[in-house]
Amino acid sequence: MAVEFGPGSMNQTGKVEEICNGLDLEVSTRVDLDPRDGGSLQNMLRHHRGRFDIVAGVCRNHSVARQAALDPRVDLLEFPHDPRERKLVNFSNKEAELAANRSCALELDFSAMLRADEIGQARLLSIMRTELSIALDNDVRVIVTSGAGDLYGLRAPRDLASFLGLLGANWQTCLDAVSTSPLQVVARKNTLIARLDRDRDTR
Amino acid sequence: MRPRYRYIQFRVVSQKRRSRSEVFEAIQRTTVSTYGVSGFAEILPTLQSFDEDTQEGTLRCTRLRVVEMRASLSLIHEIRGDKTAFHVTGLSGTIKALGVHQKT
């Protein structure tokens, strides 16, 4: 189970963890960083990386996208929901290559499709198809999330996998995007901590 | 040659109780808008049954287009202005087997 927080609501993480522990649920906290440029992403990472299990970088321009793909502290690359804004950022082969080298995953948010009108959905499908094909060509892990804000936005994993099928992925890739890939993103935190500790020791 | 079918058991979660016609209309509309008329003809969705009390139903589609059918169902997010979600609860090659899966 993953819980998403804004940078201003970090004091609530402890409360959520307490509730979930009572229900015997394992909690992974996540933060979405929405910086103006690459420099402010680094500042935000300095503050938030250690406090959350998963860090997603919202790439609203090339500078942020490049920095997020380059920085090993970023787990997920997320792109804007608005198709016009998203088209301008344009996930490129260079960013995909950088992301693949640092085991950073590409997140495709299903809720963007639900929020868009019919024309917007068509545009999003086209953009997401391109992003997916670039990611798969460069061995970047892809994950699909429901991005649900309420009960009506929730979708079962296999339904989300079917959505990825709509973008042209084969069925095994679709299933990985809702099973092994998200698990690897969560597990990545432990390897990252181990590596940071090792770096600190060698210094 | 007669096409082979798959049966999809689903549950509708909506702000209001939905009727059979509303549900089927939403399914048809989303399938056509996502895959076009030609795609709709290949998927061939047919609402076999829908219980308005439990809001559960069974949908039939062609065997080779199950993924497309599921994707269409997941894209339905409103019916007549009310927030709605379709959750697939079972999938089978026969209605009889679907019933067995539901009981177990």
Side-chain angles (χ1 to χ4, degrees):
Chain A
M1 175 180 177
V3 183
E4 191 179 325
F5 286 91
S9 53
M10 287 186 306
N11 52 346
Q12 292 173 16
T13 56
K15 206 187 288 175
V16 172
E17 278 178 34
E18 207 174 286
I19 294 168
C20 291
N21 286 340
L23 296 167
D24 208 19
L25 285 173
E26 207 171 298
V27 180
S28 289
T29 52
R30 162 185 165 157
V31 65
D32 281 16
L33 303 178
D34 195 352
R36 279 193 318 274
D37 51 43
S40 47
L41 174 67
Q42 283 183 307
N43 286 337
M44 286 176 154
L45 282 167
R46 220 167 286 138
H47 283 104
H48 301 299
R49 175 67 262 192
R51 301 180 193 180
F52 294 92
D53 298 333
I54 301 164
V55 173
V58 183
C59 310
R60 291 194 190 277
N61 54 52
H62 277 295
S63 155
V64 177
R66 190 60 58 93
Q67 185 59 43
L70 192 68
D71 201 312
R73 293 172 293 179
V74 178
D75 299 308
L76 295 172
L77 296 179
E78 199 184 347
F79 289 91
H81 290 180
D82 180 31
R84 275 166 293 187
E85 201 184 340
R86 193 166 180 143
K87 185 130 180 86
L88 292 175
V89 186
N90 205 8
F91 183 56
S92 69
N93 273 309
K94 184 69 195 162
E95 278 133 20
E97 213 174 281
L98 291 169
N101 290 339
R102 280 150 190 84
S103 313
C104 186
L106 170 72
E107 180 187 17
L108 297 175
D109 192 336
F110 181 71
S111 69
M113 285 293 290
L114 299 184
R115 287 192 195 120
D117 58 12
E118 223 165 79
I119 301 296
Q121 281 187 343
R123 287 185 198 281
L124 267 175
L125 272 182
S126 157
I127 297 167
M128 283 183 180
R129 268 188 193 140
T130 312
E131 288 172 358
L132 179 72
S133 125
I134 290 172
L136 295 179
D137 286 348
N138 289 281
D139 293 327
V140 177
R141 276 201 307 266
V142 178
I143 67 164
V144 191
T145 52
S146 65
D150 56 28
L151 170 74
Y152 305 104
L154 284 173
R155 295 292 182 273
R158 276 177 186 268
D159 292 345
L160 292 175
S162 304
F163 165 66
L164 205 58
L166 183 60
L167 300 179
N170 66 44
W171 189 236
Q172 190 51 51
T173 309
C174 298
L175 290 179
D176 287 346
V178 292
S179 55
T180 51
S181 296
L183 192 65
Q184 280 170 347
V185 170
V186 176
R188 190 174 177 263
K189 193 212 170 190
N190 299 328
T191 29
L192 187 70
I193 287 171
R195 201 167 67 208
L196 289 174
D197 285 345
R198 208 172 46 234
D199 288 352
R200 207 176 296 133
D201 292 342
T202 50
R203 254 186 255 147
Chain B
M1 197 176 125
R2 181 183 169 273
R4 299 187 69 178
Y5 297 106
R6 282 286 178 272
Y7 297 89
I8 297 172
Q9 182 97 36
F10 64 91
R11 184 169 56 243
V12 178
V13 181
S14 181
Q15 289 173 314
K16 280 184 198 159
R17 192 168 278 199
R18 309 312 331 185
S19 68
R20 184 193 164 99
S21 60
E22 285 174 329
V23 167
F24 193 42
E25 192 197 315
I27 293 168
Q28 291 183 105
R29 193 165 14 89
T30 314
T31 311
V32 170
S33 82
T34 312
Y35 295 99
V37 177
S38 159
F40 183 90
E42 283 173 21
I43 298 168
L44 222 59
T46 315
L47 189 62
Q48 297 290 110
S49 64
F50 184 72
D51 186 332
E52 292 182 8
D53 294 327
T54 59
Q55 295 285 289
E56 287 181 339
T58 310
L59 183 69
R60 190 184 76 174
C61 68
T62 48
R63 186 177 64 97
L64 298 173
R65 294 282 178 264
V66 175
V67 174
E68 285 85 346
M69 188 70 254
R70 281 186 88 139
S72 282
L73 291 179
S74 65
L75 281 168
I76 300 172
H77 61 105
E78 63 161 36
I79 294 180
R80 301 203 175 167
D82 299 317
K83 285 184 179 180
T84 306
F86 278 61
H87 296 296
V88 174
T89 53
L91 174 70
S92 178
T94 61
I95 293 180
K96 189 179 171 187
L98 207 56
V100 173
H101 288 312
Q102 284 298 300
K103 280 171 197 162
T104 51

